[in-house]
Amino acid sequence: MSLEKPLPTGPTAAVPHQEGRTKPGAPRPAAPPELSFTGRVHANAMQDATLWDMARRIPAALGRTFRLAWSVDRHMVVTVLLCQLLSGVGTAVMLAAVADAMGPLFGSADAAAGLHRAWPALTVAGVALGVGSTAWLVADWATRRLNPQVASAADLTMVDTHMRVELSAYDQEGFTDRSQAAEIGAMRAVDLAEDAKSMTNGLVQLVTAASVLTVLHPLLLVVLLLSVVPRGLGGVIAARIDYRVFDASVSARNTRGMMRWFLTTPTLADELRANTMRPYLHFWYRTMCDRVEGRALAAAPLYLRVNAVASALSGVFTVGMWASLAGLVVSGRMTLAIAGTAVMASQTAGRSLNSVIRYGAAMFHHGLYLDDYHRFLARARDLTTHRGTAVPQAPTEIRLTGAGFSYPKKDTPALHPVSLTLRRGEVVALVGENGAGKSTLVRLLTGLTLPTSGTVHWDDTDLATADAEAVWQHVGLVPQQSGHWPLAVRENIDLGQPREHGDDLVWEAAARVGMDEPIRGLPDGMDTLLARSLWGGHELSGGQWQRLACARAMYRGPGFLILDEPTSEMDARGEHQILTALREMAPGRITLVVTHRLDNVRMADRILVLDRGRIREEGTFDQLAYGDGLFAELYALSQDR
């Protein structure tokens, strides 16, 4: 009869706490939908794997763990390996010495004389035991030094990989799912290193103890295996149940974790309270908790059955092992002293075999996720930004020739082929309704994305042949949603790229956007941490954050300055200051302003009107505002508000 049965996979009944209940008679809110996590390619690998499958894959997991650990601290890896071997040698010497001591202890009628003759062997056994225990402690110390380094290395690799891939990678189907699966693999890297240490130590101890048992009597090894294999199989089945519980609740835990940030961040605290969203969101969160808890609770009876059967079988065979020892002693084929040594060796071997099976199953489990991690890195490396070696200078002219862009599996291009020229010294405004393709055009102009048709040139350099980092050295971008970086004010402006003359240029950039006085009013001036959620941190208003983002772009002194809705949260004074600064800086660069506030485009030398991925109109404010085109329509609507 199978020890396993399917776990429930449908929604479990959520019983929200009092806080999450609706008023009597009110409609009960709909439960959150069940989401499918499709990123992993090993969905049923654990429960479908045979023991041979697991044994076959464990060496690969060990190899990957070894290479990762070796790359971060090879001295600690060598320390762990040597200590594992030393611990095994200590166990072997200890058992051999105990065997030597058992004869005098059990074979002498005079206890004192027997102890005197056994004392040298007992001393050797004690020293060997101490050496083995010390080696284990040192191995544990070395592993604890390795673990944080392995965790950091895996995490840094993931972060760096995401920062290096082409932006188009995020648009590929399944990229985010694979990324989430790889994140789990990165987190499991530490567990895998710990399991590898425990499993290899168990393996060394097992080989040592089994060798001693085989020397004492080959039959003992067979009986030992019979006594511990049931418990080991129980551990494998329990590991499968663990995996199934994890797999069944992975989407609920992921979405719950994401929602937890939304429910606890001060960024959304005003909206949550003012809109009385707490009861429903508490119900939503509680439902996710119930789903995770429900699947874990459903597995509890399975654990009980597996452990009960495994323990019963193990007990039966353990009694058989003791009976075998007694039979060998009674029949005279084994002395009582050797039987005592066999008991110690069998206990050591039993614990070791349990460790090998337990941690081997865990390594197989964690190795599946580490496999996701390596698969993602291999895929992401193919998507990393590698274009060419040309190094362009700050552009005097940006030229699009039939440049268009289409997203994967989209019938309609985000940007139809566009031919356009931008020149140094002019301020160009880009306007259009939502979804017109403005962000896509900005990405092509800045080289953040390459066109799927046509070309983009900075002077004589085709951006498809240019080094991307070299292109971006000449770009200053204020995106529509700029980062509220949890850094000091200074680093929020210079982003760790200081120049000569100290903070002079930082203060100059801050003054251009009207942030010099607010910064002086902060507790630590330029050194003030801008993160209210961190100890000692402070927060800025939305408009001040926008000003800081503009200062960041201006500090770079870029050859191509792009501002996407740069004043949407500013007051009139701040907006006027930014637009004035743009005009003052215009002669030395190409400036592009993307905005829905059409009164602001009066300051532009030229206006581009984008509609459904095509440039519909182009001209000055007076030419377009008082004509009969799309811009005139949008401008008239803006004046009626």
Side-chain angles (χ1 to χ4, degrees):
M1 181 176 65
S2 174
L3 296 178
E4 300 181 70
K5 65 180 181 181
L7 292 172
T9 57
T12 59
V15 183
H17 288 171
Q18 185 66 33
E19 290 286 344
R21 290 179 180 167
T22 55
K23 296 179 180 179
R28 184 180 179 83
E34 287 278 351
L35 301 177
S36 175
F37 186 71
T38 59
R40 287 174 294 107
V41 296
H42 311 293
N44 298 309
M46 188 73 180
Q47 65 189 65
D48 294 340
T50 64
L51 286 176
W52 170 246
D53 292 332
M54 297 174 68
R56 185 170 50 85
R57 291 179 65 99
I58 286 173
L62 274 172
R64 281 179 168 169
T65 305
F66 175 82
R67 287 191 293 272
L68 182 57
W70 185 261
S71 69
V72 298
D73 195 334
R74 58 186 61 186
H75 297 297
M76 290 299 103
V77 173
V78 171
T79 300
V80 171
L81 294 177
L82 289 178
C83 286
Q84 303 277 43
L85 292 175
L86 186 59
S87 177
V89 171
T91 299
V93 172
M94 184 269 292
L95 290 173
V98 166
D100 289 340
M102 286 291 186
L105 286 174
F106 287 96
S108 176
D110 185 349
L115 182 61
H116 179 73
R117 290 197 303 274
W119 182 250
L122 290 176
T123 301
V124 171
V127 171
L129 180 62
V131 169
S133 298
T134 301
W136 169 253
L137 290 174
V138 174
D140 187 63
W141 165 80
T143 305
R144 290 181 184 278
R145 285 183 59 88
L146 269 173
N147 284 346
Q149 297 181 77
V150 169
S152 294
D155 186 47
L156 285 169
T157 301
M158 282 293 295
V159 170
D160 188 60
T161 297
H162 280 85
M163 291 193 295
R164 289 178 179 274
V165 297
E166 291 276 7
L167 287 178
S168 57
Y170 291 96
D171 301 319
Q172 291 194 2
E173 186 176 10
F175 181 85
T176 301
D177 272 357
R178 288 193 295 271
S179 172
Q180 289 175 333
E183 292 284 358
I184 297 173
M187 290 188 292
R188 293 294 178 93
V190 172
D191 296 325
L192 201 59
E194 190 69 35
D195 293 339
K197 179 202 71 173
S198 299
M199 197 198 79
T200 53
N201 180 73
L203 192 60
V204 169
Q205 298 293 329
L206 174 63
V207 170
T208 301
S211 300
V212 171
L213 278 175
T214 304
V215 170
L216 294 176
H217 201 292
L219 177 63
L220 295 179
L221 182 62
V222 176
V223 177
L224 170 71
L225 291 174
L226 290 175
S227 67
V228 297
V229 164
R231 195 177 296 276
L233 288 174
V236 171
I237 295 173
R240 288 179 175 178
I241 296 172
D242 280 335
Y243 182 83
R244 290 166 60 192
V245 170
F246 180 90
D247 186 63
S249 60
V250 65
S251 63
R253 282 184 290 101
N254 284 344
T255 53
R256 182 182 65 175
M258 179 183 67
M259 181 62 81
R260 192 179 191 282
W261 182 88
F262 282 91
L263 299 183
T264 57
T265 178
T267 305
L268 302 176
D270 293 358
E271 180 182 3
L272 187 150
R273 285 160 175 76
N275 291 330
T276 60
M277 300 167 68
R278 183 172 56 88
Y280 171 69
L281 293 176
H282 188 279
F283 162 76
W284 189 101
Y285 194 80
R286 180 62 192 176
T287 301
M288 288 298 178
C289 289
D290 287 340
R291 287 176 180 170
V292 175
E293 293 171 7
R295 280 150 191 166
L297 292 174
L302 298 180
Y303 283 117
L304 179 61
R305 291 172 56 194
V306 167
N307 290 329
V309 173
S311 296
L313 291 175
S314 181
V316 169
F317 287 118
T318 299
V319 171
M321 182 182 69
W322 288 102
S324 299
L325 280 173
L328 290 171
V329 171
V330 170
S331 64
R333 283 180 285 181
M334 178 179 290
T335 65
L336 188 60
I338 297 298
T341 305
V343 169
M344 293 186 61
S346 66
Q347 289 177 338
T348 300
R351 288 192 299 269
S352 301
L353 185 57
N354 276 329
S355 292
V356 170
I357 294 177
R358 175 186 173 188
Y359 290 107
M363 284 199 68
F364 178 82
H365 186 180
H366 298 318
L368 295 176
Y369 294 100
L370 193 64
D371 192 27
D372 289 330
Y373 169 78
H374 286 286
R375 284 172 181 267
F376 174 78
L377 293 184
R379 176 60 178 153
R381 277 192 287 270
D382 295 336
L383 301 171
T384 299
T385 306
H386 293 301
R387 299 176 184 173
T389 58
V391 180
Q393 301 302 310
T396 58
E397 182 179 275
I398 298 177
R399 187 172 65 259
L400 277 71
T401 306
F405 186 83
S406 297
Y407 288 97
K409 298 187 178 181
K410 295 288 186 180
D411 296 331
T412 304
L415 187 70
H416 292 274
V418 169
S419 294
L420 170 69
T421 301
L422 306 180
R423 299 177 181 84
R424 181 180 294 180
E426 68 175 347
V427 177
V428 178
L430 179 62
V431 301
E433 297 178 279
N434 294 332
K438 301 187 295 297
S439 296
T440 301
L441 180 56
V442 167
R443 285 184 172 186
L444 297 188
L445 290 167
T446 55
L448 289 170
T449 300
L450 295 178
T452 53
S453 63
T455 59
V456 179
H457 282 80
W458 277 23
D459 297 327
D460 295 327
T461 303
D462 185 344
L463 294 191
T465 67
D467 177 80
E469 294 285 345
V471 172
W472 299 330
Q473 288 292 329
H474 302 292
V475 172
L477 173 64
V478 181
Q480 192 167 355
Q481 294 181 337
S482 59
H484 295 189
W485 302 105
L487 304 168
V489 175
R490 180 184 296 101
E491 284 71 36
N492 259 285
I493 295 176
D494 68 20
L495 282 184
Q497 301 170 9
R499 302 180 186 178
E500 296 179 1
H501 312 299
D503 286 341
D504 291 351
L505 291 177
V506 179
W507 281 111
E508 181 182 327
R512 281 183 178 274
V513 299
M515 275 297 290
D516 49 341
E517 289 303 318
I519 291 173
R520 289 189 175 93
L522 293 172
D524 299 311
M526 280 287 179
D527 295 312
T528 302
L529 175 64
L530 297 182
R532 186 174 62 188
S533 58
L534 300 179
W535 182 261
H538 291 263
E539 191 56 78
L540 301 179
S541 69
Q544 288 175 327
W545 273 113
Q546 279 198 324
R547 292 191 191 202
L548 212 61
C550 292
R552 182 160 54 238
M554 294 177 182
Y555 171 83
R556 290 170 61 81
F560 185 22
L561 178 62
I562 310 98
L563 299 96
D564 189 350
E565 296 291 350
T567 62
S568 60
E569 297 186 55
M570 293 186 196
D571 55 35
R573 188 183 303 277
E575 187 173 48
H576 175 75
Q577 196 156 9
I578 295 296
L579 297 179
T580 300
L582 288 180
R583 286 298 339 172
E584 292 174 351
M585 296 175 64
R589 56 193 41 81
I590 298 172
T591 305
L592 179 68
V593 180
V594 183
T595 182
H596 288 106
R597 302 173 76 156
L598 300 187
D599 274 323
N600 292 342
V601 301
R602 293 176 183 272
M603 45 78 69
D605 299 304
R606 185 160 47 116
I607 301 169
L608 303 175
V609 182
L610 206 59
D611 179 39
R612 299 179 185 178
R614 290 185 171 89
I615 295 180
R616 296 294 188 186
E617 302 172 34
E618 181 177 354
T620 65
F621 180 84
D622 289 337
Q623 290 172 337
L624 299 179
Y626 304 110
D628 56 0
L630 177 59
F631 182 86
E633 178 187 351
L634 296 176
Y635 182 67
L637 290 172
S638 70
Q639 300 304 300
D640 289 340
R641 287 184 287 182

